[in-house]
Coordinates of all heavy atoms in Angstrom, one line a residue:
M548 N -101.5 -194.6 31.4 CA -100.6 -194.2 32.5 C -100.9 -195.2 33.6 O -102.0 -195.3 34.0 CB -100.9 -192.7 32.9 CG -100.3 -192.3 34.0 SD -98.5 -192.1 33.9 CE -98.2 -190.9 32.8
A549 N -99.9 -195.7 34.2 CA -99.9 -196.4 35.4 C -100.5 -195.6 36.6 O -100.2 -194.3 36.6 CB -98.8 -197.1 35.7
H550 N -101.2 -196.1 37.5 CA -101.7 -195.4 38.6 C -100.6 -194.6 39.3 O -100.9 -193.6 40.1 CB -102.6 -196.1 39.5 CG -101.9 -197.3 40.3 ND1 -101.4 -198.3 39.8 CD2 -101.5 -197.2 41.5 CE1 -100.7 -199.0 40.6 NE2 -100.8 -198.3 41.7
D551 N -99.4 -195.2 39.4 CA -98.3 -194.6 40.3 C -97.4 -193.9 39.3 O -96.2 -193.5 39.7 CB -97.6 -195.6 41.0 CG -97.0 -196.7 40.1 OD1 -97.2 -196.7 38.9 OD2 -96.3 -197.5 40.7
N552 N -97.7 -193.5 38.1 CA -96.8 -192.8 37.1 C -95.5 -193.5 36.8 O -94.6 -192.9 36.4 CB -96.5 -191.3 37.7 CG -97.8 -190.4 37.6 OD1 -98.8 -190.9 37.5 ND2 -97.5 -189.2 38.0
S553 N -95.5 -194.8 37.1 CA -94.3 -195.6 36.8 C -94.1 -195.9 35.3 O -93.0 -196.3 34.8 CB -94.3 -196.8 37.6 OG -95.3 -197.7 37.3
A554 N -95.2 -195.9 34.6 CA -95.1 -196.3 33.2 C -96.4 -195.6 32.4 O -97.3 -195.3 33.0 CB -95.2 -197.9 33.1
A555 N -96.0 -195.5 31.2 CA -97.1 -195.0 30.3 C -97.0 -195.4 28.8 O -95.7 -195.8 28.4 CB -97.0 -193.4 30.2
L556 N -98.0 -195.6 28.1 CA -98.0 -195.9 26.7 C -98.6 -194.7 26.0 O -99.8 -194.4 26.3 CB -98.7 -197.2 26.4 CG -98.6 -197.7 25.0 CD1 -97.2 -198.1 24.6 CD2 -99.6 -199.0 24.8
C557 N -97.9 -194.0 25.0 CA -98.4 -192.9 24.4 C -98.5 -193.1 22.9 O -97.7 -193.9 22.2 CB -97.4 -191.7 24.5 SG -97.2 -191.2 26.3
C558 N -99.7 -192.7 22.4 CA -99.9 -192.9 20.9 C -99.8 -191.4 20.3 O -100.5 -190.5 20.6 CB -101.3 -193.6 20.7 SG -101.7 -193.7 18.9
W559 N -99.0 -191.5 19.2 CA -98.8 -190.3 18.4 C -99.4 -190.7 17.0 O -98.9 -191.5 16.3 CB -97.3 -189.8 18.2 CG -97.0 -188.7 17.3 CD1 -96.3 -188.8 16.2 CD2 -97.4 -187.3 17.6 NE1 -96.3 -187.5 15.5 CE2 -97.0 -186.6 16.4 CE3 -98.2 -186.7 18.5 CZ2 -97.1 -185.3 16.1 CZ3 -98.4 -185.3 18.3 CH2 -97.9 -184.6 17.3
A560 N -100.5 -190.1 16.8 CA -101.2 -190.3 15.3 C -101.4 -189.1 14.5 O -101.6 -188.0 15.1 CB -102.6 -191.1 15.8
R561 N -101.5 -189.4 13.3 CA -101.9 -188.4 12.2 C -103.1 -189.0 11.5 O -102.9 -190.0 10.7 CB -100.7 -188.0 11.4 CG -101.0 -187.0 10.3 CD -99.8 -186.6 9.6 NE -100.0 -185.4 8.8 CZ -99.3 -184.8 7.9 NH1 -98.0 -185.4 7.7 NH2 -99.7 -183.9 7.2
L562 N -104.2 -188.4 11.7 CA -105.4 -188.9 10.9 C -105.6 -188.4 9.6 O -106.0 -189.2 8.8 CB -106.6 -188.6 11.8 CG -106.5 -189.1 13.3 CD1 -107.8 -188.6 14.1 CD2 -106.4 -190.6 13.3
A563 N -105.2 -187.2 9.3 CA -105.4 -186.7 7.8 C -104.3 -185.9 7.5 O -103.4 -185.4 8.3 CB -106.7 -185.9 7.9
T564 N -104.2 -185.3 6.3 CA -103.2 -184.4 5.8 C -103.5 -183.2 6.5 O -104.7 -182.7 6.7 CB -103.3 -184.3 4.2 OG1 -103.2 -185.5 3.7 CG2 -102.3 -183.3 3.8
S565 N -102.5 -182.5 6.8 CA -102.6 -181.1 7.5 C -101.5 -180.2 6.9 O -100.4 -180.7 6.4 CB -102.4 -181.2 9.0 OG -101.1 -181.8 9.4
P566 N -101.7 -178.8 7.0 CA -100.7 -177.9 6.5 C -99.5 -177.8 7.4 O -98.4 -177.3 6.8 CB -101.5 -176.6 6.5 CG -102.5 -176.7 7.6 CD -102.9 -178.1 7.6
E567 N -99.4 -178.3 8.5 CA -98.2 -178.1 9.4 C -97.1 -178.9 8.8 O -97.3 -180.1 8.6 CB -98.4 -178.5 10.8 CG -99.4 -177.7 11.7 CD -100.8 -177.9 11.3 OE1 -101.2 -179.0 10.8 OE2 -101.7 -177.1 11.8
G568 N -95.9 -178.4 8.7 CA -94.8 -179.1 8.2 C -94.1 -179.8 9.4 O -93.5 -180.9 9.2
Q569 N -94.1 -179.2 10.5 CA -93.4 -179.7 11.7 C -94.3 -179.4 12.9 O -95.1 -178.3 12.9 CB -92.0 -178.9 11.9 CG -91.0 -179.3 11.0 CD -90.6 -180.8 11.1 OE1 -90.5 -181.3 12.1 NE2 -90.3 -181.4 9.9
Y570 N -94.3 -180.2 13.8 CA -95.3 -180.1 15.0 C -94.5 -179.4 16.2 O -95.2 -179.2 17.3 CB -95.9 -181.4 15.4 CG -96.8 -181.8 14.3 CD1 -96.3 -182.9 13.3 CD2 -98.1 -181.4 14.1 CE1 -97.1 -183.2 12.3 CE2 -98.8 -181.8 13.1 CZ -98.4 -182.8 12.1 OH -99.2 -183.2 11.2
G571 N -93.3 -179.3 16.2 CA -92.5 -178.8 17.2 C -92.5 -179.8 18.4 O -92.6 -181.0 18.1
R572 N -92.3 -179.3 19.6 CA -92.0 -180.3 20.7 C -93.5 -180.6 21.3 O -94.4 -179.7 21.5 CB -91.2 -179.7 21.8 CG -89.7 -179.5 21.4 CD -89.0 -178.9 22.5 NE -87.6 -179.0 22.1 CZ -86.8 -180.2 22.6 NH1 -87.4 -181.0 23.3 NH2 -85.5 -180.1 22.3
V573 N -93.7 -181.8 21.6 CA -95.1 -182.1 22.1 C -94.9 -182.7 23.5 O -94.1 -183.7 23.8 CB -95.7 -183.4 21.3 CG1 -96.9 -183.8 21.9 CG2 -95.9 -182.8 19.9
P574 N -95.4 -181.9 24.6 CA -95.3 -182.5 25.9 C -96.0 -183.7 26.2 O -97.1 -184.0 25.5 CB -95.9 -181.2 26.7 CG -96.0 -180.2 25.8 CD -96.1 -180.7 24.3
L575 N -95.4 -184.6 27.0 CA -96.0 -185.8 27.5 C -96.6 -185.6 29.0 O -95.8 -185.7 29.9 CB -95.0 -187.1 27.4 CG -94.5 -187.1 25.9 CD1 -93.4 -188.1 26.0 CD2 -95.7 -187.5 24.9
P576 N -97.8 -185.3 29.2 CA -98.2 -184.9 30.4 C -98.3 -186.0 31.4 O -98.3 -187.3 31.1 CB -99.7 -184.2 30.1 CG -100.1 -185.1 29.0 CD -98.8 -185.3 28.1
A577 N -98.5 -185.7 32.7 CA -98.8 -186.5 33.8 C -97.6 -187.5 34.2 O -97.8 -188.4 35.0 CB -100.0 -187.5 33.5
L578 N -96.4 -187.4 33.7 CA -95.3 -188.1 34.2 C -94.8 -187.5 35.5 O -95.0 -186.2 35.8 CB -94.2 -188.1 33.2 CG -94.6 -188.8 31.8 CD1 -93.5 -188.6 30.9 CD2 -95.0 -190.3 32.1
D579 N -94.0 -188.1 36.3 CA -93.3 -187.6 37.4 C -92.2 -186.8 37.1 O -91.2 -187.4 36.5 CB -92.9 -188.8 38.3 CG -92.2 -188.3 39.7 OD1 -92.0 -187.1 39.8 OD2 -92.0 -189.3 40.4
A580 N -92.2 -185.5 37.3 CA -91.1 -184.6 36.9 C -89.8 -184.8 37.5 O -88.8 -184.5 37.1 CB -91.6 -183.2 37.1
E581 N -89.8 -185.6 38.8 CA -88.6 -185.8 39.5 C -87.9 -187.1 39.0 O -86.8 -187.5 39.5 CB -88.9 -185.9 40.9 CG -89.5 -184.6 41.5 CD -88.6 -183.4 41.4 OE1 -87.3 -183.6 41.6 OE2 -89.0 -182.3 41.0
A582 N -88.7 -187.9 38.1 CA -88.2 -189.2 37.8 C -87.3 -189.2 36.5 O -87.5 -188.2 35.7 CB -89.3 -190.2 37.6
I583 N -86.7 -190.2 36.2 CA -86.0 -190.5 34.9 C -86.8 -191.7 34.2 O -87.2 -192.6 34.8 CB -84.6 -191.0 35.0 CG1 -83.8 -190.0 35.8 CG2 -84.0 -191.3 33.8 CD1 -83.6 -188.6 35.2
Y584 N -87.1 -191.4 33.0 CA -88.0 -192.4 32.1 C -87.1 -193.0 31.0 O -86.4 -192.2 30.3 CB -89.2 -191.8 31.6 CG -90.2 -191.5 32.8 CD1 -90.3 -190.4 33.3 CD2 -91.2 -192.5 33.0 CE1 -91.2 -190.1 34.4 CE2 -92.2 -192.2 33.9 CZ -92.2 -191.1 34.7 OH -93.1 -190.9 35.6
R585 N -87.2 -194.2 30.8 CA -86.7 -194.9 29.6 C -87.9 -194.8 28.5 O -88.9 -195.2 28.6 CB -86.4 -196.4 29.8 CG -85.8 -197.1 28.7 CD -85.2 -198.5 29.1 NE -85.3 -199.3 27.9 CZ -85.9 -200.4 27.9 NH1 -86.6 -200.9 28.8 NH2 -86.0 -201.2 26.7
V586 N -87.5 -194.2 27.4 CA -88.5 -194.0 26.3 C -88.0 -195.1 25.1 O -86.9 -194.9 24.7 CB -88.3 -192.5 25.7 CG1 -89.3 -192.4 24.6 CG2 -88.5 -191.6 26.8
R587 N -89.1 -195.8 24.7 CA -88.7 -196.8 23.7 C -89.9 -196.6 22.7 O -91.2 -196.4 23.1 CB -88.9 -198.2 24.2 CG -87.7 -198.6 24.9 CD -87.7 -200.1 25.3 NE -88.1 -200.9 24.1 CZ -88.9 -202.0 24.3 NH1 -89.3 -202.4 25.4 NH2 -89.3 -202.7 23.2
V588 N -89.5 -196.8 21.4 CA -90.6 -196.8 20.4 C -90.9 -198.2 20.2 O -90.0 -199.1 20.1 CB -89.9 -196.3 19.0 CG1 -90.9 -196.5 17.9 CG2 -89.5 -194.8 19.1
R589 N -92.1 -198.6 20.3 CA -92.7 -199.9 20.2 C -92.8 -200.3 18.6 O -93.4 -199.6 17.9 CB -94.0 -200.2 20.9 CG -94.1 -199.8 22.3 CD -93.0 -200.7 23.1 NE -93.2 -202.1 22.9 CZ -93.4 -202.9 24.0 NH1 -93.3 -202.4 25.2 NH2 -93.5 -204.2 23.7
T590 N -92.2 -201.4 18.2 CA -92.1 -201.7 16.8 C -92.7 -203.2 16.5 O -92.6 -203.6 15.4 CB -90.6 -201.7 16.4 OG1 -89.9 -202.7 17.1 CG2 -90.0 -200.4 16.4
E591 N -93.3 -203.7 17.5 CA -93.9 -205.1 17.2 C -94.8 -205.2 16.0 O -94.8 -206.2 15.4 CB -94.6 -205.7 18.5 CG -93.8 -205.9 19.7 CD -93.4 -204.7 20.6 OE1 -93.7 -203.6 20.1 OE2 -93.0 -204.9 21.7
L592 N -95.5 -204.2 15.7 CA -96.3 -204.2 14.5 C -95.8 -203.4 13.4 O -96.4 -203.1 12.4 CB -97.8 -203.5 15.0 CG -98.5 -204.3 16.0 CD1 -99.8 -203.6 16.4 CD2 -98.8 -205.6 15.6
G593 N -94.4 -203.0 13.6 CA -93.8 -202.3 12.4 C -93.8 -200.9 12.8 O -94.5 -200.3 13.6
L594 N -93.2 -200.1 11.9 CA -93.1 -198.7 12.0 C -94.1 -198.1 11.0 O -94.3 -198.6 9.9 CB -91.7 -198.2 11.8 CG -90.6 -198.4 12.9 CD1 -89.2 -198.0 12.5 CD2 -91.0 -197.6 14.1
P595 N -94.6 -196.9 11.3 CA -95.5 -196.3 10.3 C -94.6 -195.7 9.3 O -93.3 -195.5 9.4 CB -96.1 -195.1 11.2 CG -95.2 -194.9 12.3 CD -94.5 -196.1 12.5
S596 N -95.2 -195.1 8.2 CA -94.6 -194.5 7.2 C -94.4 -193.0 7.6 O -95.2 -192.4 8.3 CB -95.2 -194.6 5.8 OG -96.5 -194.2 5.8
F597 N -93.3 -192.4 7.3 CA -93.1 -191.0 7.8 C -93.1 -190.0 6.6 O -92.8 -190.5 5.5 CB -91.6 -191.0 8.5 CG -91.6 -191.8 9.7 CD1 -90.9 -193.0 9.6 CD2 -92.0 -191.4 10.9 CE1 -90.7 -193.9 10.8 CE2 -91.9 -192.2 12.0 CZ -91.3 -193.5 11.9
H598 N -93.3 -188.8 7.0 CA -93.5 -187.8 5.9 C -92.3 -186.7 6.2 O -92.6 -185.6 6.6 CB -94.9 -187.1 6.0 CG -95.0 -186.1 4.9 ND1 -95.3 -186.5 3.6 CD2 -95.2 -184.7 5.0 CE1 -95.4 -185.4 2.9 NE2 -95.4 -184.3 3.6
E599 N -91.1 -187.2 6.3 CA -90.0 -186.4 6.6 C -88.8 -187.1 5.9 O -88.7 -188.1 5.8 CB -89.8 -186.2 8.0 CG -89.5 -187.4 8.8 CD -89.8 -187.2 10.4 OE1 -90.0 -186.1 10.8 OE2 -89.5 -188.2 11.0
V600 N -87.6 -186.2 5.9 CA -86.3 -186.7 5.4 C -85.6 -187.4 6.4 O -84.9 -188.4 6.2 CB -85.6 -185.5 4.8 CG1 -84.1 -186.0 4.2 CG2 -86.3 -184.9 3.7
A601 N -85.6 -186.9 7.6 CA -84.8 -187.5 8.7 C -85.6 -187.5 10.0 O -86.4 -186.6 10.2 CB -83.5 -186.6 9.0
D602 N -85.4 -188.5 10.8 CA -86.0 -188.7 12.1 C -85.5 -187.6 13.1 O -84.3 -187.3 13.0 CB -85.8 -190.1 12.7 CG -86.6 -191.1 11.8 OD1 -87.6 -190.7 11.2 OD2 -86.1 -192.3 11.7
P603 N -86.1 -187.3 14.2 CA -85.7 -186.5 15.2 C -84.4 -187.3 15.8 O -84.3 -188.5 15.9 CB -86.7 -186.4 16.3 CG -88.0 -186.7 15.4 CD -87.6 -187.5 14.3
A604 N -83.5 -186.5 16.4 CA -82.2 -187.1 16.9 C -82.4 -188.1 17.9 O -81.7 -189.1 18.0 CB -81.3 -186.0 17.4
W605 N -83.4 -188.1 18.8 CA -83.6 -189.0 19.9 C -84.2 -190.3 19.3 O -84.2 -191.4 20.0 CB -84.6 -188.4 20.9 CG -86.1 -188.1 20.4 CD1 -86.4 -187.0 19.9 CD2 -87.0 -189.0 20.4 NE1 -87.7 -187.1 19.5 CE2 -88.1 -188.4 19.7 CE3 -87.2 -190.4 20.7 CZ2 -89.4 -188.9 19.6 CZ3 -88.5 -191.0 20.6 CH2 -89.5 -190.3 20.0
F606 N -84.9 -190.2 18.1 CA -85.6 -191.4 17.7 C -84.8 -192.7 17.3 O -85.4 -193.8 18.0 CB -86.3 -191.1 16.4 CG -87.5 -191.9 16.0 CD1 -88.7 -191.9 16.5 CD2 -87.2 -192.9 14.9 CE1 -89.7 -192.7 16.2 CE2 -88.2 -193.7 14.6 CZ -89.4 -193.6 15.2
S607 N -83.6 -192.7 16.8 CA -82.9 -194.0 16.7 C -82.6 -194.5 17.9 O -82.5 -195.9 18.2 CB -81.7 -193.7 15.7 OG -81.1 -192.6 16.0
A608 N -82.1 -193.8 19.0 CA -81.8 -194.5 20.2 C -83.0 -195.0 20.9 O -82.9 -196.1 21.6 CB -81.2 -193.3 21.2
A609 N -84.3 -194.4 20.8 CA -85.4 -195.0 21.3 C -85.9 -196.2 20.6 O -86.7 -197.0 21.0 CB -86.5 -194.0 21.3
L610 N -85.4 -196.3 19.3 CA -85.7 -197.6 18.6 C -84.9 -198.8 19.0 O -85.4 -199.9 19.1 CB -85.4 -197.4 17.1 CG -86.4 -196.9 16.2 CD1 -85.8 -196.4 14.8 CD2 -87.6 -197.6 16.2
D611 N -83.7 -198.6 19.5 CA -82.8 -199.6 20.0 C -83.2 -200.0 21.4 O -84.2 -200.7 21.6 CB -81.3 -199.2 19.9 CG -80.8 -199.0 18.4 OD1 -81.6 -199.6 17.5 OD2 -80.1 -198.0 18.2
D612 N -82.3 -199.7 22.3 CA -82.6 -200.1 23.8 C -83.3 -199.0 24.5 O -83.6 -199.3 25.7 CB -81.1 -200.3 24.4 CG -80.4 -201.5 23.9 OD1 -81.0 -202.4 23.4 OD2 -79.1 -201.4 23.8
G613 N -83.6 -197.9 24.0 CA -84.3 -196.9 24.6 C -83.4 -195.9 25.1 O -82.2 -195.9 25.0
L614 N -84.0 -194.7 25.4 CA -83.3 -193.5 25.8 C -83.8 -193.0 27.1 O -85.0 -192.8 27.3 CB -83.6 -192.4 24.6 CG -83.1 -191.1 24.8 CD1 -81.5 -191.1 24.7 CD2 -83.7 -190.1 23.8
S615 N -82.9 -192.7 28.0 CA -83.4 -192.2 29.3 C -83.4 -190.8 29.3 O -82.4 -190.0 29.0 CB -82.3 -192.6 30.5 OG -82.4 -194.1 30.5
L616 N -84.5 -190.2 29.8 CA -84.8 -188.7 29.8 C -85.5 -188.4 31.0 O -86.3 -189.0 31.5 CB -85.6 -188.2 28.6 CG -85.0 -188.5 27.2 CD1 -86.0 -188.2 26.2 CD2 -83.8 -187.5 27.0
P617 N -85.2 -187.2 31.7 CA -85.9 -186.7 32.8 C -87.4 -186.5 32.6 O -87.9 -186.0 31.5 CB -85.2 -185.3 33.2 CG -83.9 -185.3 32.2 CD -84.2 -186.2 31.1
G618 N -88.2 -186.8 33.5 CA -89.6 -186.6 33.4 C -89.9 -185.0 33.2 O -90.9 -184.8 32.6
S619 N -89.1 -184.1 33.8 CA -89.4 -182.7 33.7 C -89.2 -182.3 32.3 O -89.9 -181.5 31.8 CB -88.4 -182.0 34.6 OG -87.0 -182.3 34.3
L620 N -88.2 -182.9 31.5 CA -88.0 -182.6 30.1 C -89.2 -183.0 29.3 O -89.8 -182.3 28.5 CB -86.7 -183.2 29.6 CG -86.5 -182.9 28.1 CD1 -85.1 -182.3 28.0 CD2 -86.7 -184.1 27.3
L621 N -89.6 -184.4 29.6 CA -90.9 -184.8 28.8 C -92.2 -184.1 29.0 O -92.9 -184.0 28.2 CB -91.0 -186.4 29.3 CG -89.8 -187.3 28.9 CD1 -89.9 -188.6 29.6 CD2 -89.7 -187.4 27.3
T622 N -92.3 -183.6 30.3 CA -93.7 -183.0 30.6 C -93.6 -181.5 30.4 O -94.7 -181.0 29.9 CB -94.1 -183.2 32.1 OG1 -93.0 -182.7 33.0 CG2 -94.3 -184.7 32.5
L623 N -92.5 -180.8 30.4 CA -92.5 -179.4 30.3 C -92.0 -179.0 28.8 O -92.7 -178.2 28.1 CB -91.5 -178.8 31.3 CG -91.9 -178.9 32.8 CD1 -90.9 -178.2 33.6 CD2 -93.3 -178.3 33.0
A624 N -90.9 -179.6 28.3 CA -90.3 -179.2 27.1 C -90.9 -180.1 25.9 O -91.2 -179.7 24.9 CB -88.8 -179.3 27.0
G625 N -91.1 -181.4 26.3 CA -91.7 -182.3 25.4 C -90.6 -182.8 24.4 O -89.4 -182.5 24.4
L626 N -91.1 -183.7 23.6 CA -90.2 -184.3 22.4 C -90.6 -183.8 21.1 O -91.8 -183.7 20.8 CB -90.3 -185.8 22.4 CG -89.8 -186.6 23.7 CD1 -90.1 -188.1 23.4 CD2 -88.3 -186.4 23.7
P627 N -89.7 -183.5 20.2 CA -90.0 -183.3 18.8 C -90.5 -184.6 18.2 O -89.5 -185.4 17.9 CB -88.8 -182.7 18.2 CG -87.6 -183.2 19.1 CD -88.2 -183.6 20.5
L628 N -91.7 -184.9 17.9 CA -92.1 -186.2 17.3 C -92.0 -186.1 15.8 O -92.2 -185.0 15.2 CB -93.5 -186.4 17.9 CG -93.6 -186.6 19.4 CD1 -95.1 -186.7 19.8 CD2 -92.8 -187.9 19.8
P629 N -91.9 -187.3 15.2 CA -91.7 -187.3 13.8 C -93.0 -186.9 13.1 O -94.1 -187.3 13.5 CB -91.4 -188.8 13.6 CG -91.7 -189.6 14.7 CD -91.7 -188.6 15.9
N630 N -92.9 -186.5 11.9 CA -94.1 -186.3 11.0 C -94.5 -187.5 10.4 O -93.7 -188.3 9.8 CB -93.7 -185.2 9.9 CG -93.8 -183.8 10.4 OD1 -94.4 -183.6 11.4 ND2 -93.1 -182.9 9.6
L631 N -95.7 -188.0 10.5 CA -96.2 -189.3 10.1 C -97.0 -188.9 8.8 O -97.6 -187.9 8.6 CB -97.1 -189.9 11.1 CG -96.5 -190.3 12.4 CD1 -97.6 -190.9 13.4 CD2 -95.3 -191.1 12.3
N632 N -97.1 -189.9 7.9 CA -97.9 -189.8 6.8 C -99.4 -190.0 7.4 O -99.6 -190.5 8.5 CB -97.7 -190.9 5.7 CG -96.6 -190.6 4.8 OD1 -96.5 -189.3 4.6 ND2 -95.7 -191.4 4.6
P633 N -100.5 -189.4 6.7 CA -101.9 -189.6 7.1 C -102.2 -191.1 7.5 O -101.8 -192.0 6.7 CB -102.6 -189.0 6.0 CG -101.7 -188.1 5.3 CD -100.3 -188.8 5.4
Q634 N -103.1 -191.2 8.4 CA -103.7 -192.5 8.8 C -102.6 -193.4 9.4 O -102.7 -194.6 9.2 CB -104.4 -193.2 7.8 CG -105.6 -192.3 7.4 CD -106.4 -193.0 6.3 OE1 -106.4 -194.1 6.0 NE2 -107.5 -192.3 5.8
R635 N -101.6 -192.9 10.1 CA -100.5 -193.6 10.6 C -100.3 -193.2 12.2 O -100.8 -192.2 12.5 CB -99.1 -193.4 9.9 CG -99.1 -193.7 8.5 CD -99.3 -195.2 8.3 NE -99.2 -195.5 6.9 CZ -100.2 -195.9 6.1 NH1 -101.4 -196.0 6.6 NH2 -100.1 -196.2 4.8
A636 N -99.9 -194.2 12.9 CA -99.6 -193.9 14.3 C -98.2 -194.6 14.8 O -97.7 -195.5 14.2 CB -100.8 -194.6 15.2
L637 N -97.9 -194.0 15.9 CA -96.6 -194.5 16.5 C -96.9 -194.7 18.0 O -97.4 -193.8 18.6 CB -95.5 -193.5 16.2 CG -94.2 -193.6 16.8 CD1 -93.4 -194.7 16.1 CD2 -93.3 -192.3 16.8
L638 N -96.3 -195.8 18.6 CA -96.5 -196.0 20.0 C -95.1 -195.7 20.8 O -94.2 -196.2 20.4 CB -97.0 -197.4 20.3 CG -98.4 -197.7 20.0 CD1 -98.7 -199.2 20.3 CD2 -99.3 -196.9 20.8
L639 N -95.1 -195.1 21.9 CA -94.1 -194.8 22.8 C -94.4 -195.3 24.1 O -95.4 -195.2 24.7 CB -93.8 -193.3 22.8 CG -93.4 -192.5 21.7 CD1 -93.3 -190.9 22.1 CD2 -92.2 -193.0 21.0
E640 N -93.3 -196.0 24.5 CA -93.4 -196.7 26.0 C -92.5 -196.0 26.8 O -91.3 -195.9 26.5 CB -93.0 -198.2 25.9 CG -93.1 -198.9 27.1 CD -92.5 -200.2 27.1 OE1 -91.4 -200.5 26.6 OE2 -93.1 -201.2 27.7
L641 N -93.1 -195.5 27.9 CA -92.1 -194.8 29.0 C -92.1 -195.6 30.2 O -93.3 -195.9 30.8 CB -92.8 -193.4 29.2 CG -92.7 -192.6 28.0 CD1 -94.0 -192.5 27.3 CD2 -92.1 -191.1 28.3
T642 N -91.2 -195.9 30.7 CA -91.0 -196.7 32.0 C -90.1 -195.9 33.0 O -88.9 -195.6 32.6 CB -90.3 -198.1 31.7 OG1 -91.1 -198.7 30.6 CG2 -90.4 -198.9 32.9
R643 N -90.5 -195.6 34.1 CA -89.7 -195.0 35.1 C -88.5 -195.9 35.5 O -88.7 -197.1 35.9 CB -90.4 -194.6 36.4 CG -89.7 -193.9 37.4 CD -90.4 -193.3 38.5 NE -91.4 -194.2 39.1 CZ -92.6 -193.9 39.7 NH1 -92.9 -192.6 39.7 NH2 -93.2 -194.8 40.1
T644 N -87.2 -195.4 35.5 CA -86.1 -196.1 35.9 C -85.4 -195.6 37.1 O -84.7 -196.3 37.9 CB -85.0 -196.0 34.8 OG1 -84.7 -194.7 34.6 CG2 -85.4 -196.6 33.6
A645 N -85.8 -194.4 37.6 CA -85.2 -193.8 38.8 C -86.0 -192.6 39.2 O -86.8 -192.0 38.4 CB -83.7 -193.3 38.5
G646 N -86.0 -192.3 40.5 CA -86.7 -191.1 41.0 C -87.8 -191.4 41.8 O -88.5 -192.3 41.9

């Protein structure tokens, strides 16, 4: 997290097999609730393998140019993150665009 909450890099990782089929919404804490953030999936090192049939609806937009979402949604409601196969990780970049 940047010291002024203008940007963050979040890692979503699955270390081992678990009984959970879905993780539900995962809050991304410490963001400015009054701001708008551009959410991008970082793909420079490739995408992890997934343990699901379909990605969450927001995911494909975040793969392209990014998706703008309110900080309040990200910190309070969170995002439904994809199910990863064990020993895989996904990086999300959040950049404040307004607020």
